[in-house]
Amino acid sequence: MKYIISVILLSALFLSCSKEYKMKKEIEKMTETPFCIYTNEMECWRPDSIIQGDGSNAEFKMIVFSDSTDCTGCYIKQLNLWNDFLDLEKKTKGKFVFMFIMEVEPTQYNMVYNALREAELRHSVYLDTLCVFRKNNPQLPDSRLFHTFVVNRDNKAVLIGNPIKNEKIEKMFLTLLTDSLLNNGVAR
């Protein structure tokens, strides 16, 4: 019995270390290679009252990506949770922007478009029916844990994680903005 418990504990430890090692490798892969963020092959949905730039002058971009394996309706219903963060674009005068990218099956396009109209998100969303974001970025892991991240001007990931779902990530996110943009006279 003692042997069985030892094997179970060692297996759990090994699996934990293995999972941590895999996550570390995924993060390294994401931070080593710049992301290609070409939106010209995507449809841009905009709420009626919102007109935004393309983010070409941004020092940082928060990418919020949803692939076709996500529950589309669930994802859209949760988009309004970002509204509190969206004021940061105005405060930084476009030096920090959000980019919501949804990979959408072409057959679901009209449903998604209508659902976005009903959502309370105050931001544009890129609808990627050709899966160009994923094709152009093989360094993006399949796990949703890695589908929200901040890239710098060179499109290299500098922070990975969802600030809405993780307080530690939120603190790091706000520190990044404060230290890099707000305190350097970009926005006050």
Side-chain angles (χ1 to χ4, degrees), residues 123-140:
H123 201 280
S124 58
V125 177
Y126 290 99
L127 304 177
D128 185 3
T129 57
L130 301 175
C131 304
V132 293
F133 186 75
R134 180 171 297 284
K135 289 175 189 171
N136 288 332
N137 297 293
Q139 73 273 32
L140 182 68

Side-chain angles (χ1 to χ4, degrees), residues 88 90-93 95 181-188:
L88 294 171
K90 290 179 188 169
K91 287 182 181 177
T92 63
K93 299 177 182 154
K95 297 294 181 187
L181 299 175
L182 300 177
N183 286 342
N184 289 331
V186 174
R188 292 199 191 254

Side-chain angles (χ1 to χ4, degrees), residues 130-156:
L130 301 175
C131 304
V132 293
F133 186 75
R134 180 171 297 284
K135 289 175 189 171
N136 288 332
N137 297 293
Q139 73 273 32
L140 182 68
D142 290 332
S143 173
R144 291 181 195 133
L145 292 173
F146 302 99
H147 288 184
T148 304
F149 53 96
V150 177
V151 297
N152 63 13
R153 179 178 287 285
D154 298 324
N155 288 334
K156 288 187 121 185

Side-chain angles (χ1 to χ4, degrees), residues 68-124:
S68 59
T69 63
D70 288 337
C71 168
T72 304
C74 303
Y75 177 80
I76 291 172
K77 286 179 184 174
Q78 293 182 356
L79 283 175
N80 66 343
L81 298 175
W82 288 97
N83 283 337
D84 290 339
F85 285 100
L86 296 178
D87 291 334
L88 294 171
E89 280 186 343
K90 290 179 188 169
K91 287 182 181 177
T92 63
K93 299 177 182 154
K95 297 294 181 187
F96 174 82
V97 297
F98 283 87
M99 295 187 78
F100 295 91
I101 301 172
M102 282 186 71
E103 193 174 273
V104 178
E105 297 287 331
T107 57
Q108 293 185 328
Y109 179 81
N110 288 334
M111 182 276 298
V112 168
Y113 201 87
N114 290 330
L116 284 169
R117 284 194 322 199
E118 299 296 319
E120 297 177 15
L121 180 68
R122 300 183 321 250
H123 201 280
S124 58

Side-chain angles (χ1 to χ4, degrees), residues 9 11 18 22 31 35 38 52 66 125 132 147 149 169 184:
L9 288 173
S11 297
S18 173
K22 183 179 178 188
T31 56
F35 280 81
Y38 303 122
Q52 283 153 267
S66 169
V125 177
V132 293
H147 288 184
F149 53 96
I169 297 293
N184 289 331

Side-chain angles (χ1 to χ4, degrees), residues 159-174:
L159 178 64
I160 300 166
N162 190 331
I164 289 175
K165 295 184 178 188
N166 185 314
E167 283 186 34
K168 289 180 182 178
I169 297 293
E170 179 182 0
K171 287 178 184 176
M172 289 190 295
F173 169 70
L174 293 173

